[in-house]
Amino acid sequence: MRKTLLALWLAACVTPAFGQEKTFDLKISHWVPASHPLQKSLEDWAAAVEKASGGTIKSKVFPAQQLGKAFDHYDMARDGIADVTYVNPGYQPGRFPIVGAGELPFLISDAKGGSEGLDAWYRKYAAKEMKDVKYCLAFVHTPSALHTRTKKVTVPDDIKGMKIRPADATIANFVTQLGGTNVQSSAPEVRDIIERGVADGVFFPAGSLLLFGVDKVTKYHIDAPMYVTTFVFVMNKDKYDQMSDRQKKAIDDNCTTEMAGKVGAHWGEFEDAGVDKIKAESGQEVYKLTPEQTALWKKAADPLFKTWADGVKKTGIDADVAMTELKASLTKYNALAQ
């Protein structure tokens, strides 16, 4: 009887504290199809937060630009149009120069370790560069390459005169530097611009190429780890600030470097599988670069590091120190390209 009374008394003490917590229904927005692996990653993230919050933070994931265009997702989180969003910082050249380090060609070798290394490094910079949102985590996809419609590209000089849809701001600079013309579009629009001849090719990971149907309008595919794209999950600050300490902890415990690695690994597996699927399609040519060709691409990419450093210096950050730190972080997670 005493144990029962004690249990009831303890429950009475605890329940009001949880009972005073406001229940939140978060809108999580992204801009790729619901069939993309990111959908499940966000659903898993939401489920983990709900469990950690004792069921007081529930979420619904809105895919495929339902709440807004791909380019707008950072501002959507800032302005509260969505509560949590998936952002490609490279969609807005010059706005997020620090995190752009992850976009530099031939730097990151692996999706999981690359995501962990990038996230662990970027956390101290995110507070400044993304100060008007609650930063959650950063990640990358599998190192990927170029896909073209009518011209086989093997060396940097081949880009001259071509119209290319770049993956991000850094690759856009690369295309310009090599004498090509950039055609800007979000991922869901890539097939259309190539099919209409507005673009001749695209820097894209292989699994997504299939998902968006871009394999139907391309023929030549470089199979090499040339670049990755950086992404972040960010949250509306006001919504986060309204939460109780326990609820904030539920968010924070799922906005970690470990979680970044999980998101990157899940996506990486999907993209890696795409290479063999493209090879299996008739009429496709998937080819590797020779060591000599790879050396030419790496040499051509060297000026991009200075361009990145110049942009970062304008923010008051020592670019050399930041790059040294990033390489050390990638090395720690076995994801620094050789």
Side-chain angles (χ1 to χ4, degrees), residues 17 52 80 88 119 149 164 184 219 226 278 287:
N88 178 344
D119 178 80
R149 184 170 191 177
I164 303 294
Q184 297 291 346
K219 177 180 179 180
M226 299 179 75
I278 294 172
Y287 54 97

Side-chain angles (χ1 to χ4, degrees), residues 18 174 179 214 250 283 288:
F18 289 176
F174 200 22
V214 186
K288 293 187 178 294

Side-chain angles (χ1 to χ4, degrees), residues 81-109:
I81 295 170
D83 300 306
V84 178
T85 63
Y86 157 65
V87 179
N88 178 344
Y91 274 175
Q92 297 181 306
R95 188 174 183 183
F96 307 105
I98 301 172
V99 76
E103 301 170 355
L104 290 165
F106 305 103
L107 179 65
I108 294 176
S109 64

Side-chain angles (χ1 to χ4, degrees), residues 129-199:
E129 186 160 76
M130 299 187 177
K131 59 182 181 296
D132 42 13
V133 294
K134 156 72 176 172
Y135 170 79
C136 179
L137 55 83
F139 60 101
V140 299
H141 61 52
T142 289
S144 303
L146 178 67
H147 312 268
T148 54
R149 184 170 191 177
T150 60
K151 181 180 179 180
K152 182 176 180 179
V153 172
T154 58
V155 295
D157 284 347
D158 291 337
I159 296 293
K160 189 173 183 178
M162 295 185 73
K163 297 172 291 185
I164 303 294
R165 185 271 187 183
D168 48 51
T170 301
I171 297 301
N173 288 337
F174 200 22
V175 169
T176 300
Q177 178 187 303
L178 297 177
T181 300
N182 286 291
V183 180
Q184 297 291 346
S185 81
S186 64
E189 300 165 332
V190 169
R191 175 176 176 169
D192 179 59
I193 63 171
I194 294 179
E195 193 165 30
R196 291 189 292 113
V198 176

Side-chain angles (χ1 to χ4, degrees), residues 29-59:
S29 180
H30 68 83
W31 33 268
V32 293
S35 52
H36 193 283
L38 186 71
Q39 174 79 16
K40 186 175 188 308
S41 290
L42 283 168
E43 288 172 350
D44 289 348
W45 183 88
V49 169
E50 182 173 351
K51 182 179 179 181
S53 71
T56 62
I57 302 176
K58 301 181 184 300
S59 304

Side-chain angles (χ1 to χ4, degrees), residues 116-281:
E116 292 168 333
L118 178 73
D119 178 80
W121 165 79
Y122 187 59
R123 287 190 171 271
K124 78 173 186 178
Y125 296 110
K128 177 178 182 178
E129 186 160 76
M130 299 187 177
K131 59 182 181 296
D132 42 13
V133 294
K134 156 72 176 172
Y135 170 79
C136 179
L137 55 83
F139 60 101
V140 299
H141 61 52
T142 289
S144 303
L146 178 67
H147 312 268
T148 54
R149 184 170 191 177
T150 60
K151 181 180 179 180
K152 182 176 180 179
V153 172
T154 58
V155 295
D157 284 347
D158 291 337
I159 296 293
K160 189 173 183 178
M162 295 185 73
K163 297 172 291 185
I164 303 294
R165 185 271 187 183
D168 48 51
T170 301
I171 297 301
N173 288 337
F174 200 22
V175 169
T176 300
Q177 178 187 303
L178 297 177
T181 300
N182 286 291
V183 180
Q184 297 291 346
S185 81
S186 64
E189 300 165 332
V190 169
R191 175 176 176 169
D192 179 59
I193 63 171
I194 294 179
E195 193 165 30
R196 291 189 292 113
V198 176
D200 302 312
V202 59
F203 280 92
F204 224 52
S208 291
L209 196 86
L210 295 160
L211 181 65
F212 288 99
V214 186
D215 59 311
K216 307 302 181 189
V217 294
T218 51
K219 177 180 179 180
Y220 301 104
H221 311 272
I222 298 176
D223 180 13
M226 299 179 75
Y227 80 98
V228 302
T229 300
T230 62
F231 304 101
V232 294
F233 290 167
V234 295
M235 182 176 181
N236 178 261
K237 259 190 172 181
D238 291 339
K239 187 60 63 77
Y240 178 79
D241 290 341
Q242 291 170 26
M243 294 180 172
S244 69
D245 289 344
R246 187 176 79 109
Q247 290 170 323
K248 287 179 180 177
K249 187 176 187 300
I251 297 291
D252 294 344
D253 287 351
N254 287 284
C255 288
T256 63
T257 296
E258 180 184 6
M259 182 62 77
K262 288 181 179 178
V263 175
H266 183 224
W267 189 343
E269 291 166 2
F270 166 79
E271 301 295 3
D272 288 341
V275 176
D276 287 338
K277 291 178 181 177
I278 294 172
K279 287 179 180 177
E281 292 182 351

